[in-house]
Amino acid sequence: MFKNIKLKRSVYATEEHELLQKTTQHFIEKEIAPYHAQWEEDSMVSREVWLKAGETGLLCLDVPEQYGGAGLDFSFCALITEEILKAGYSGPGFFLHSDIVAPYIVDYGTEEQKKKWLPKMCTGEVITAIGMTEPSCGSDLQALKTTAEDRGDHYLVNGQKTFITNGYMSDLAIIAARTIVDGEFIGISLFLIEADRAGFSKGKPFKKVGMKAQDTCELFFDNVEIPKDNLLGEIGKGFVYMMQKLGRERLSVALMAVGGAEGALENTIVYTTSREAFKQPVAAFQNTQFKLAELATQLQIHQTFVDRCVELYCNKELSAETASMAKYSCTDMHQHVVDECVQLHGGYGYMWEYYIARAYADNRVARIYAGTNEIMKLLISRGLLREMHEANKRAAKK
Ligand SMILES: Cc1cc2nc3c(=O)[nH]c(=O)nc-3n(C[C@H](O)[C@H](O)[C@H](O)COP(=O)(O)OP(=O)(O)OC[C@H]3O[C@@H](n4cnc5c(N)ncnc54)[C@H](O)[C@@H]3O)c2cc1C
């Protein structure tokens, strides 16, 4: 839709992108849409959809080929994320697995860890999660309490994580923990923890306001012994790794927002042209037309920005501040678009069977997770002040 007024998106311009878009749309229609309502009841998707996504080649697209991936660039992952959200299906947590967890293993994993986990992540045989947040801290990750104590030939992990996406279904989780060596705290490290380790248990999936088909739960670690080989990257570097990788996570959330806003707008155009009031389509009212024009413009501005961010990311040039701008601004825009679209649907916009009602509930969390939008603004302003401070220092030296 909007072929005539939409700017051509250069990040998705190749034939390969077009093919992937068709494959993803077909997959959504055949493997997600018929089951999503049931998954909402179950508070989780099926294992089969993960295996089918792997078989279709929709998982971990930018993992190198030698580890079972397609070796493509991030723009292909971005396209899948947008398509799934545009279609309005928030259940499958593919993006967290492919776009957040896999890059940690690709970039910081040992050869052995990569060979062990990545091929099965690409096929969907292994589902992954990442646990940073704890009941007492989310925004302030440095305050996390889970510990990993060096016990000579293994680490002993104790603590708790909460709000973990894919948590209930996960076979493997990356866990951030305060690392204790010889009784001293030496920094936060990341650990690969298999779900079947003794002492590792999971809470039931939470009943959430939206994204009801996505399993989000608590993870508990009660004297979990993990081999030294399960340390991911260097000891004590976990906080630095998280800061390095959060940019990509935030960009993915921005992509979900532009995909979701496009879906909301498309659905609303269809609805307002078919629904009548006062013997004319709702779309014939000037208020509706102005609203749709404003929302389409907002969407296009954000799509253009996010496309630039994808290009920057692919060239390894996306700064943490720019990723934060994309995350906060696109999710704010998405929420505004969806809210206006609910209004244009009238009472039907409040009924769960309608795309727009589900989108309204699903999208609210985007301003909260992956770092709240307030934290995004904090990071952006810190960047601005740091640059000013550095410029002043340079000027003072002259
Ligand atoms: C559905 C869902 C899925 C999630 N998935 C995952 C996951 O897979 N893995 C994971 O680790 N986490 C996950 N999270 C957790 C999420 O990232 C955190 O909820 C988020 O970072 C906020 O942390 P918090 O909930 O502890 O809020 P708090 O940190 O308690 O924040 C509460 C409020 O205070 C504000 N605030 C905090 N600090 C400041 C400050 N310095 N300046 C101004 N305002 C501030 C916040 O913006 C917010 O409005 C998920 C959360 C949800 C809801």
Side-chain angles (χ1 to χ4, degrees), residues 185-257:
F185 168 58
I186 54 123
I188 291 168
S189 309
L190 301 180
F191 299 90
L192 291 165
I193 308 193
E194 302 88 339
D196 56 5
R197 288 219 168 257
F200 180 1
S201 60
K202 301 165 175 177
K204 281 203 180 122
F206 288 119
K207 295 284 177 201
K208 305 194 292 298
V209 168
M211 304 213 312
K212 292 175 187 288
Q214 200 170 96
D215 60 308
T216 311
C217 76
E218 288 169 294
L219 304 179
F220 303 96
F221 305 94
D222 182 10
N223 286 322
V224 182
E225 283 187 22
I226 56 164
K228 286 277 175 90
D229 289 349
N230 282 28
L231 173 71
L232 184 64
E234 287 180 45
I235 195 158
K237 290 253 177 95
F239 193 75
V240 175
Y241 295 156
M242 288 190 284
M243 292 306 110
Q244 284 170 352
K245 287 281 167 269
L246 277 167
R248 173 164 164 152
E249 177 170 349
R250 287 164 186 161
L251 176 55
S252 292
V253 174
L255 286 156
M256 290 163 81

Side-chain angles (χ1 to χ4, degrees), residues 96 130-133 137-139 162-165 208 211 216 365 368-372 374-375 378:
L96 183 121
I130 182 159
M132 301 182 243
T133 307
C137 74
S139 301
T162 195
F163 304 147
I164 306 305
T165 305
K208 305 194 292 298
M211 304 213 312
T216 311
V365 73
I368 296 169
Y369 65 13
T372 65
E374 292 73 35
I375 296 295
L378 208 68

Side-chain angles (χ1 to χ4, degrees), residues 332-343:
D332 274 3
M333 176 276 303
H334 185 198
Q335 192 173 2
H336 173 66
V337 168
V338 170
D339 187 62
E340 293 286 10
C341 289
V342 167
Q343 193 67 16

Side-chain angles (χ1 to χ4, degrees), residues 309-329:
C309 290
V310 171
E311 275 171 9
L312 287 170
Y313 181 83
C314 291
N315 293 332
K316 300 192 187 339
E317 288 168 2
L318 182 69
S319 70
E321 290 82 6
T322 310
S324 302
M325 288 176 187
K327 195 267 175 182
Y328 110 72
S329 189

